[in-house]
Amino acid sequence: MDGTQTPPALLLHNARLICPESDTVGIGSLTIEGPRIAAVDVRPARSRKLHEFDCGGLYLAPGIVDIGVKIGEPGERHKESFGSAGRAAAAGGVTTMVTRPDTSPPIDNPETLQFFMRRASADSMVTIKPMASLTRGRAGSEVAEISLLRDVGAIAFSDCDSPVRDVSVFARCLSYCSQNDALVIGHPQDADLSRGAAATTGRFAALKGLPSVSPLAERMGLERDLAVVEMTGARYHADQITTAAALPPLARAIDQGLSVSAGTSIHHLTLNEHDIAGYRTFFKVKPPLRSESDRQAIIEAVADGRIGTISSMHTPQDEESKRLPFEAAASGAVAVETLLPAALRLFHSGDIGLPALFRALSLNPSRLLGLDTGRLAPGAPADLVLFDADIPFTLDRFELNSKSKNTPFDGQLLQGKVIRTYHQGQLIYRKPV
Amino acid sequence: MGFSGRHLLGIEALSIEDILQILDLADSYVDLNRRKVKHSTALAGMTQVNMFFENSTRTQSSFELAGKRLGADVMNLEVDSSSVGKGETLIDTAMTLNAMRPDLLVVRHPHSGSVDLLAEKVDCSVVNAGDGRHEHPTQALLDALTIRRVRGAVEGLTVAICGDIQHSRVARSNLLLLSKLQNRIRMVGPKTLVPRVFEEFGVEIFDNMRDCLRDADVVMMLRLQKERMEGAFVPSMREYFHLFGLDADKLRSAKPDAIVMHPGPMNRGVEIDGALADDISRSVIQDQVEIGVAVRMAVLDLLARTRRSTADHSVPRELI
């Protein structure tokens, strides 16, 4: 009978397995059975029906778990849909997208989230784990329905780049979240100091006459958030730490035993403020690009684990919102598809090894959110990316799968291409020949 | 070869030779402008459009007069902020204008970098008449020529720039130009308006006005915007005048023959004492206005020459 027949297993052999858990890279094999990894470095029984694929010595790593992806649904489907974002993710080796609620309307109630989840399961090729907003309408005055949203699938709560200004409201939100064991994802940034800023205060912004924000605004935002975490006992993850000055308070909070972690964005790891050059709006992100010394400090913090996660902070913007003077242009960049090749810059430069890179791209985000992916281990979901770290290419933004093409890497030389992506055992992307 | 760019977007991209070429030609236009018959035919047959997204009576009329004296057809286009509200973007406005085939486009816009953006999209020559806090190159050029005509040279001088540096494109362009010509730049003003980061450009920053003015050759005052006067950046107009307003007493620290400049329009009694502004033995503010027309004529003339020497259809898009 068909129903009892198990589908053939798939043996991926001659692969360089990147194992962030054991911090190792080595030639080996991996067997996929159904949606899960069945074995690592163990050849399945001969009796078993088996397909084999020779990976040709390429790298095989756990699929990327990208925290903070903006999909244009609902409200801005012309910028990005589940379909286009899913294809971009698959082509980028991202197997789980943790989505942002800064949509229009914001995802702040169970009904909207249900709609969102239905759209996701209908159209997305990869796993979608949604964040919901922390306050109603992301307006920063009333707590959202945290518990009901959790029941529908919200995995974390965030007001994204508009941090709750009123400390008493923020404290109530965190207090409420801690009771529900809900993870809060904060955007550490002093809202008043950063109002209207388009660049980071310093030589570059001064010369270009751009309204700017001191890099210390990030530390101030973080210190406020950490004090409220201490007060309420909430679980807190800072979405992007991008300045050296914010690292000591982060380390202190972790030493103190608070349930605190931090991530950073791929753009702040690979670009600095001088890339803005002649007011190039594709380089306008939030927070603004930093100095080279801050970039170096953040790379070090990722390498030694003080910063746990790397995200794309994928933010699709249409051409019109970027074809404006720098100050008036929208912030953000599409990045889910370029996350891996950009991150490989840090590997090629010798700054971060591959296991550490995938610890930040896959394992840590997965653990943070209580998922069981991000590992090469029997029983884990077969979410995998096979890539060649060496293929050089010049990025043409119009070849991206995203509907929006606002990438700062347009025309830049990148090195490293995804060859295959597996999502729950299914091949969802194969590099075109 | 000298000033051969297709646009004048800022001082940053100019070489010393470019600057001197503009100043020398402007010198001859000062003389022309003092004659009874002021016409030249340098821009005959050319169309100049002044597109101002920000109000400015003096700069706009200076450019208008400059174009007219050189024989161009000049059109003024005041694009108030309401048309932005109607949804037309800067680029759309520029493309519309471009289709009308102007030769010279003079642009002022409240956003830094906006004139660079526009220049990428049009075929004509673009002159930056002030973009946000970024640059105001013709102001710096006219200031330099004013200094040169009054002091005999614009080199090796000590120039004090005073007031709201942070929001001033005039300060940035002057800093760039006067540094290129080997002058010493000092700045003074309330710390809320004078970013310390300018020290990285070789500027000496002072807290006290008299210290800043000590032995200065040139005292350059900046306008303090009304909305920044009361409480936001400085406590009050009178406190500002007390500390940083230029009067005869503070000016005594400067060299006896130091000149006083202001890009206008002035707030008398805020950044400058009214009587001092009118004292023609010290203040060259009226000279600045006169020389401004000549400098703009020189800039328009040189851009037109470049334009004529390049075949219309093969203009490289980005020479500067």
Side-chain angles (χ1 to χ4, degrees):
Chain A
M1 258 171 66
D2 271 340
T4 56
Q5 227 170 25
T6 38
L10 173 65
L11 175 70
L12 301 171
H13 63 90
N14 189 24
R16 243 175 259 278
L17 303 180
I18 300 173
C19 217
E21 270 183 314
S22 60
D23 201 24
T24 55
V25 186
I27 286 279
S29 69
L30 182 145
T31 314
I32 300 174
E33 257 184 54
R36 299 198 170 265
I37 297 171
V40 178
D41 282 339
V42 179
R43 207 181 156 80
R46 290 203 178 276
S47 56
R48 194 81 173 73
K49 249 201 206 167
L50 194 65
H51 288 312
E52 292 189 26
F53 180 74
D54 183 345
C55 297
L58 297 177
Y59 290 107
L60 185 66
I64 295 168
V65 178
D66 190 1
I67 300 180
V69 176
K70 164 94 178 264
I71 312 252
E73 299 194 41
E76 295 176 301
R77 208 165 151 186
H78 65 291
K79 292 185 179 179
E80 192 81 288
S81 65
F82 281 107
S84 60
R87 284 190 294 278
V94 174
T95 48
T96 302
M97 290 193 281
V98 180
T99 53
R100 302 211 304 257
D102 53 346
T103 46
S104 175
I107 299 169
D108 67 347
N109 65 78
E111 289 74 21
T112 309
L113 183 56
Q114 258 162 354
F115 165 80
F116 183 86
M117 293 305 288
R118 270 202 304 277
R119 288 283 311 124
S121 63
D123 275 12
S124 172
M125 297 170 82
V126 302
T127 304
I128 300 286
K129 293 287 178 187
M131 293 188 245
S133 66
L134 185 62
T135 65
R136 230 181 270 269
R138 295 205 304 129
S141 50
E142 299 164 293
V143 189
E145 293 170 307
I146 303 293
S147 182
L148 293 177
L149 283 159
R150 265 178 71 103
D151 290 347
V152 184
I155 199 165
F157 295 85
S158 176
D159 274 359
C160 303
D161 63 2
S162 56
V164 179
R165 257 190 162 86
D166 184 323
V167 189
S168 65
V169 174
F170 190 57
R172 269 181 257 139
C173 289
L174 264 60
S175 190
Y176 195 82
C177 283
S178 74
Q179 186 182 22
N180 286 274
D181 194 34
L183 176 68
V184 175
I185 299 196
H187 180 72
Q189 189 67 218
D190 185 274
D192 296 309
L193 277 178
S194 59
R195 194 179 335 128
T200 302
T201 301
R203 201 185 145 94
F204 178 80
L207 186 63
K208 294 292 177 186
L210 288 173
S212 62
V213 58
S214 162
L216 289 178
E218 181 172 291
R219 186 181 89 189
M220 293 167 70
L222 182 67
E223 283 182 332
R224 181 201 76 152
D225 286 8
L226 294 176
V228 178
V229 168
E230 186 175 349
M231 202 158 89
T232 58
R235 281 202 295 139
Y236 177 92
H237 177 78
D239 66 348
Q240 302 173 71
I241 293 296
T242 61
T243 58
L247 293 171
L250 176 68
R252 271 199 301 278
I254 292 168
D255 284 350
Q256 214 181 320
L258 300 182
S259 183
V260 163
S261 59
T264 193
S265 96
I266 190 63
H267 300 117
H268 293 89
L269 284 171
T270 52
L271 305 167
N272 70 27
E273 58 188 350
H274 292 284
D275 287 303
I276 296 167
Y279 304 99
R280 296 194 288 169
T281 57
F282 282 1
F283 291 82
K284 185 176 180 186
V285 292
K286 247 188 191 176
L289 291 175
R290 306 302 194 183
S291 67
E292 178 60 12
S293 61
D294 273 337
R295 185 181 81 91
Q296 291 295 341
I298 297 307
I299 292 175
E300 255 178 61
V302 171
D304 65 25
R306 279 173 292 162
I307 288 179
T309 63
I310 302 175
S311 301
S312 71
M313 298 310 292
H314 182 80
T315 306
Q317 298 289 6
D318 55 22
E319 298 289 299
E320 294 318 314
S321 52
K322 287 287 187 181
R323 270 163 47 100
L324 292 170
F326 197 83
E327 289 166 58
S331 297
V334 289
V336 74
E337 194 169 342
T338 48
L339 175 56
L340 180 56
L344 286 172
R345 280 188 171 181
L346 303 168
F347 164 64
H348 291 300
S349 63
D351 287 311
I352 303 181
L354 288 173
L357 211 47
F358 278 88
R359 191 179 65 206
L361 289 167
S362 306
L363 180 64
N364 285 344
S366 174
R367 279 184 176 161
L368 177 69
L369 299 164
L371 309 175
D372 56 356
T373 178
R375 323 171 276 141
L376 298 187
D383 288 354
L384 302 165
V385 53
L386 181 72
F387 66 96
D388 183 328
D390 295 324
I391 300 178
F393 67 103
T394 303
L395 185 83
D396 174 356
R397 67 192 185 105
F398 294 105
E399 286 175 5
L400 294 176
N401 285 283
S402 282
K403 282 192 184 178
S404 295
K405 311 295 181 189
N406 54 306
T407 170
F409 296 110
D410 185 41
Q412 292 201 32
L413 190 66
L414 292 165
Q415 201 178 349
K417 279 218 157 187
V418 173
I419 305 299
R420 285 176 167 224
T421 305
Y422 291 93
H423 175 248
Q424 296 179 358
Q426 301 288 318
L427 181 65
I428 57 165
Y429 174 79
R430 191 193 328 220
K431 179 180 170 287
V433 185
Chain B
M1 169 89 189
F3 178 53
S4 57
R6 189 160 73 91
H7 307 301
L8 178 67
L9 302 179
I11 299 297
E12 196 184 357
L14 296 184
S15 67
I16 293 174
E17 291 71 31
D18 291 339
I19 293 167
L20 295 178
Q21 188 187 17
I22 296 168
L23 298 187
D24 291 346
L25 182 62
D27 241 341
S28 71
Y29 279 126
V30 175
D31 299 337
L32 175 75
N33 286 340
R34 286 179 181 172
R35 288 191 211 140
K36 279 203 176 118
V37 178
K38 303 174 169 67
H39 274 285
S40 140
T41 54
L43 299 187
M46 288 198 163
T47 308
Q48 173 190 335
V49 177
N50 299 332
M51 187 159 60
F52 278 62
F53 293 86
E54 239 181 27
N55 289 335
S56 156
T57 317
R58 33 178 74 224
T59 307
Q60 183 167 332
S61 44
S62 182
F63 270 108
E64 183 178 355
L65 208 50
K68 284 182 169 162
R69 284 189 180 160
L70 295 177
D73 296 314
V74 184
M75 183 175 90
N76 288 316
L77 198 74
E78 273 165 66
V79 199
D80 63 16
S81 48
S82 67
S83 69
V84 178
K86 283 179 206 156
E88 186 166 74
T89 65
L90 171 65
I91 293 180
D92 288 336
T93 310
M95 296 305 282
T96 306
L97 263 181
N98 191 50
M100 299 179 192
R101 300 203 166 273
D103 299 282
L104 298 152
L105 194 55
V106 178
V107 188
R108 168 167 290 189
H109 193 279
H111 286 141
S112 303
S114 53
V115 183
D116 298 57
L117 174 69
L118 188 143
E120 282 174 23
K121 309 290 175 188
V122 297
D123 302 313
C124 56
S125 295
V126 176
V127 180
N128 182 359
D131 64 323
R133 314 169 178 186
H134 178 220
E135 282 230 41
H136 190 356
T138 56
Q139 179 70 43
L141 287 162
L142 77 88
D143 287 344
L145 185 58
T146 306
I147 296 170
R148 193 168 88 171
R149 287 179 71 99
V150 178
R151 299 286 311 219
V154 56
E155 197 190 316
L157 302 176
T158 299
V159 181
I161 306 179
C162 314
D164 180 359
I165 308 287
Q166 176 166 356
H167 301 96
S168 176
R169 51 195 172 216
V170 175
R172 280 177 182 72
S173 286
N174 264 308
L175 164 62
L176 292 167
L177 192 154
L178 294 169
S179 307
K180 280 178 201 256
L181 298 183
Q182 308 299 319
N183 297 281
R184 291 174 55 195
I185 311 294
R186 297 175 178 174
M187 288 178 175
V188 69
K191 205 169 173 180
T192 46
L193 293 171
V194 183
R196 288 308 190 254
V197 66
F198 279 103
E199 285 174 344
E200 295 179 29
F201 299 96
V203 174
E204 235 183 314
I205 295 181
F206 291 79
D207 292 317
N208 180 294
M209 183 98 168
R210 285 185 182 82
D211 295 342
C212 179
L213 263 49
R214 185 149 297 127
D215 299 324
D217 298 282
V218 177
V219 182
M220 206 174 258
M221 302 307 299
L222 297 172
R223 178 181 166 77
L224 183 68
Q225 298 288 336
K226 275 245 156 50
E227 64 269 24
R228 296 181 186 127
M229 280 179 209
E230 284 152 354
F233 289 84
V234 295
S236 67
M237 278 188 241
R238 61 180 189 181
E239 181 155 326
Y240 184 81
F241 184 74
H242 173 65
L243 292 172
F244 303 106
L246 186 67
D247 55 19
D249 182 48
K250 294 192 187 97
L251 186 59
R252 262 190 279 280
S253 308
K255 282 192 181 156
D257 59 347
I259 57 170
V260 175
M261 309 181 81
H262 194 298
M266 282 181 284
N267 295 302
R268 289 167 184 264
V270 179
E271 68 258 1
I272 190 163
D273 174 64
L276 180 59
D278 295 334
D279 175 3
I280 56 164
S281 69
R282 305 306 298 272
S283 158
V284 296
I285 297 170
Q286 293 308 313
D287 306 68
Q288 286 175 276
V289 177
E290 182 195 358
I291 289 168
V293 178
V295 161
R296 285 162 185 138
M297 288 166 80
V299 166
L300 294 169
D301 184 359
L302 289 168
L303 289 173
R305 289 184 201 177
T306 307
R307 206 169 160 71
R308 286 215 175 85
S309 66
T310 325
D312 275 356
H313 44 274
S314 65
V315 178
R317 281 202 152 246
E318 287 158 6
L319 267 176
I320 280 190

